[in-house]
Amino acid sequence: MRDTVQAEVIMTFLVSEELSFRIPVELDYDSSDPYAVKFTFHLPGDAPVTWAFARELLLDGLSQPSGEGDVHIAPASAQHLSDVFIRLQVGGEGALFRAGAAPLVAFLDRTDRIAPLGEERSVADFDHELAAALDSILAGNPEGQNAG
């Protein structure tokens, strides 16, 4: 059984010190991939862009700077939980967003009800998914597409 959690939050896209604007961001969690969360950014004039990263990274980033590689999350203030910075990096290009911590905490709380942190393996049916993928590959259908 697949359980999902969706939410929409408004984040500030910090283009520069002088320029920023608010954008809607869809948050998604699917128990079929219990370790990940997806953020879909709706930037004006562009197609939506989706980033997937570890749910635990989002949780850790609420209280301390976290992340390596392309995704970094850090609290805006060390004194209290108010806002969070999310930096996304692709090569030399990066984007910085500021989000309220409260809606992110509420989203994480809802995901935790489906798959408590540390118990994700018990939620996902990895053995079934692996068997289905292997069956598909052995049948000569590596993408899991129906032949027809």
Side-chain angles (χ1 to χ4, degrees), residues 61-78:
L62 293 172
S63 60
Q64 63 189 5
S66 300
E68 295 179 16
D70 296 341
V71 180
H72 295 265
I73 303 173
S77 168

Side-chain angles (χ1 to χ4, degrees), residues 55-124:
R55 179 172 63 144
E56 191 170 0
L57 171 62
L58 179 58
L59 177 64
D60 291 347
L62 293 172
S63 60
Q64 63 189 5
S66 300
E68 295 179 16
D70 296 341
V71 180
H72 295 265
I73 303 173
S77 168
Q79 287 76 27
H80 55 7
L81 183 66
S82 60
D83 285 350
V84 176
F85 288 115
I86 299 173
R87 176 175 294 284
L88 306 174
Q89 193 81 27
V90 176
E93 299 292 318
L96 181 62
F97 300 89
R98 186 174 185 138
L104 299 178
V105 168
F107 173 73
L108 286 169
D109 180 59
R110 291 174 54 208
T111 69
D112 197 58
R113 292 183 207 157
I114 293 171
L117 280 164
E119 298 178 24
E120 292 91 350
R121 181 124 177 106
S122 66
V123 173

Side-chain angles (χ1 to χ4, degrees), residues 11-23 96 98:
M11 293 187 185
T12 302
F13 178 32
L14 303 164
V15 179
S16 68
E17 286 188 29
E18 299 83 29
L19 179 62
S20 65
F21 50 91
R22 295 164 55 88
I23 62 165
L96 181 62
R98 186 174 185 138

Side-chain angles (χ1 to χ4, degrees), residues 40-63:
T40 300
F41 298 88
H42 295 274
L43 299 169
D46 281 330
V49 176
T50 300
W51 280 71
F53 51 89
R55 179 172 63 144
E56 191 170 0
L57 171 62
L58 179 58
L59 177 64
D60 291 347
L62 293 172
S63 60

